[in-house]
Structures are given as C-alpha cells and as structure tokens.
Amino acid sequence: MIPLEDGFQDVIGKAARGLGLADEALARVAGVTADEVRRVKEGEFHEQVIRRLAPVLHLGGDALVALGKGEYRPRAVGTIPGFLAFNTHWADMTVNAYLVWDLKSREAAAFDTGGDCTEMLGAIRERGLQLQCILITHAHGDHIAALDRLKAETGAPAYVGEREPLEGADPFVAGREFRIGSLSIRTLLTSGHSPGGITYLVAGGARLLAIVGDSLFAGSMGGGNVSYADALRNNREKILTLPLETVLCPGHGPLTTVGEEREHNPFFVP
C-alpha cells in the first residue's frame, strides 16, 4: 500500500509557510510556546497544541488530529477497468504516473512518467495498447524523469500546459480537450503548487477520473510553492466541486476521492 504523502506535521508546515507565519508569530496567536510549535512541526504529536494551531492555520482540527493519530486513510478505490497506476522511485521519494485507455479501441494516454517508465511500457505491450499521448500535469523533475524514454519507445507526443514550457512537449492552453477513443479528457488549470499545473478530467470510462498531479493529495495538498492562495482556491473550486465519487489520482500517495477529501482533508474541512 502506498503511504500517505504527508503527516500532520507536513500539513502544519505547509499551512504556516503559505500564510507566512513564523514559529514565534504562530505560537503567539495560538497561545502556545514557540518550542511547542517547533516540536509539533518536527513530528511530535501533541493533541492540545495541534488543536490550538488548527484554527490559526485555517485547518480542520478534527481532521488534523485524526491524521496525527493515524486514523485517516482513504478507502480503497478498487480495480478500475482501463486504468493503471504506477508508483516509482525518484531520488528519496516515490512518485505516481497513470495509464488510461479505451477498452474497445485500445488507444491510451499516459499521465506523467514517474521516475522510471519500465513498468508502464510493459503494461502497454502486454495489453496491446496504442499510446496516443503523454499528458504532463506539471514540469517538476520527478514527474517527467522518464519522458524522453517513454516518447522514444512509443512514438507518442507529449503535451504540457503553456505556463510551464518543457523541451520535448507541445504547449496547450488550459481548457483544451483531448480524445482517446471514446474517452474525453478535459484540462483544468490548477496552478499554485507550480505555475501552470494541469488537472486532467477523464470521462467516458468506468469511473470519472481526475489526474491532479501535486495539486491535491490524500489528506493534504501540494506546497503552494508559487501561490498558496491560488492552490487553495483551485482545489476548492475546480477539484472538490466535482462529483463526490470522482477518483482523484495524485502525484504522490494513494488514490482517493472527492468525497473522502471533502470530509477528511484538513485544508478543506471546517
């Protein structure tokens, strides 16, 4: 099982950075000591301190505590016909990539490449798929590490949102729709973690899929490195407004659903 990408301490750290709150300022507003803030951010679980920090950071206290106690994990999505997830190593982390295909035509699309596309290439050959395109969620190195190889061995073109130009990938304007056999793939601009992050909404298969890159994780979200406010807004308005049963396919960590994250993600619950 793929572990959660973030623990409670990561969520607290991302929120504090996004809001521009240093430890001393956060401690003063929350009514705790700066040392207590530092210890929590280092992974020491202290429920009372966490509950004091949560409202200051605009995080759901119950959801944050559940994450800290290890009580949250998204329910298993199960097998989805025409869909495979790949979890590969890159540096000191693991990263996800995905393969989606039309069951009749066998036409397929890849989403990101992960650190190594060997397993994906094997799946394409074993299932007799024809890779039509490689769709990049964002241009961070862990998501495109095997792009050259995947293109060379399949002949498929690569595409990336225009705000993150990438050598070897054709840029497109968010809102473009791709078609793979009977599947439609809508593109949504979900920037914030990166300048032009794209969420791909895949309809026409067994489940509605949203390949979200690092915009959103099970129980957390990307770092909001470019704009924390934009990251929160795009997640709320463009991803978490999708139907509750929509399967969310993040760049790191396990699969989840819109319903799970609206109920359990500390960034987005009351």
Side-chain angles (χ1 to χ4, degrees):
M1 294 176 66
I2 299 174
L4 294 173
E5 172 65 8
D6 287 339
F8 72 93
Q9 69 274 26
D10 302 300
V11 171
I12 289 170
K14 287 179 177 181
R17 287 193 301 274
L19 294 170
L21 287 172
D23 292 352
E24 291 74 13
L26 178 56
R28 183 170 58 254
V29 177
V32 298
T33 68
D35 184 60
E36 286 175 322
V37 171
R38 283 190 286 270
R39 293 206 308 269
V40 163
K41 290 171 74 173
E42 290 170 358
E44 181 180 314
F45 181 79
H46 191 305
E47 182 170 348
Q48 184 178 1
V49 173
I50 290 170
R51 288 194 179 278
R52 285 182 173 272
L53 295 177
V56 179
L57 297 171
H58 309 301
L59 299 171
D62 290 343
L64 192 59
V65 168
L67 189 63
K69 290 182 175 180
E71 295 174 350
Y72 166 72
R73 182 172 180 85
R75 287 168 287 187
V77 170
T79 300
I80 303 173
F83 171 80
L84 284 175
F86 306 89
N87 183 249
T88 58
H89 289 277
W90 190 83
D92 61 347
M93 68 179 76
T94 65
V95 58
N96 298 329
Y98 301 97
L99 189 64
V100 175
W101 67 93
D102 176 71
L103 295 173
K104 292 183 178 179
S105 71
R106 314 304 287 177
E107 294 180 343
F111 299 88
D112 292 345
T113 71
D116 183 355
C117 64
T118 299
E119 188 180 356
M120 180 183 287
L121 286 167
I124 291 170
R125 289 191 294 267
E126 290 167 9
R127 289 164 173 78
L129 305 179
Q130 301 171 352
L131 192 66
Q132 301 296 303
C133 57
I134 305 162
L135 303 176
I136 304 301
T137 61
H138 63 299
H140 290 174
D142 50 329
H143 295 265
I144 58 170
L147 181 58
D148 289 345
R149 181 185 174 193
L150 189 58
K151 288 181 61 182
E153 295 200 24
T154 64
Y159 298 91
V160 69
E162 64 171 350
R163 295 189 182 186
E164 298 190 37
L166 175 65
E167 184 176 355
D170 296 327
F172 65 86
V173 178
R176 175 173 176 177
E177 182 174 317
F178 295 85
R179 293 204 68 88
I180 303 296
S182 63
L183 305 178
S184 68
I185 304 173
R186 288 173 51 205
T187 60
L188 309 173
L189 178 64
T190 47
S191 58
H193 174 74
S194 67
I198 297 291
T199 286
Y200 296 93
L201 189 62
V202 184
R207 297 282 299 270
L208 184 62
L209 307 172
I211 291 85
V212 299
D214 287 359
S215 293
L216 190 68
F217 303 139
S220 186
M221 58 178 269
N225 302 343
V226 174
S227 171
Y228 183 67
D230 284 348
L232 288 171
R233 178 178 51 81
N234 282 322
N235 283 334
R236 285 196 183 101
E237 297 180 0
K238 298 182 181 180
I239 297 177
L240 295 179
T241 52
L242 295 169
L244 296 180
E245 67 275 12
T246 304
V247 177
L248 301 180
C249 310
H252 305 273
L255 299 176
T256 184
T257 65
V258 169
E260 287 276 353
E261 297 315 301
R262 286 179 61 174
E263 185 176 352
H264 298 293
N265 193 308
F267 286 101
F268 305 108
V269 298

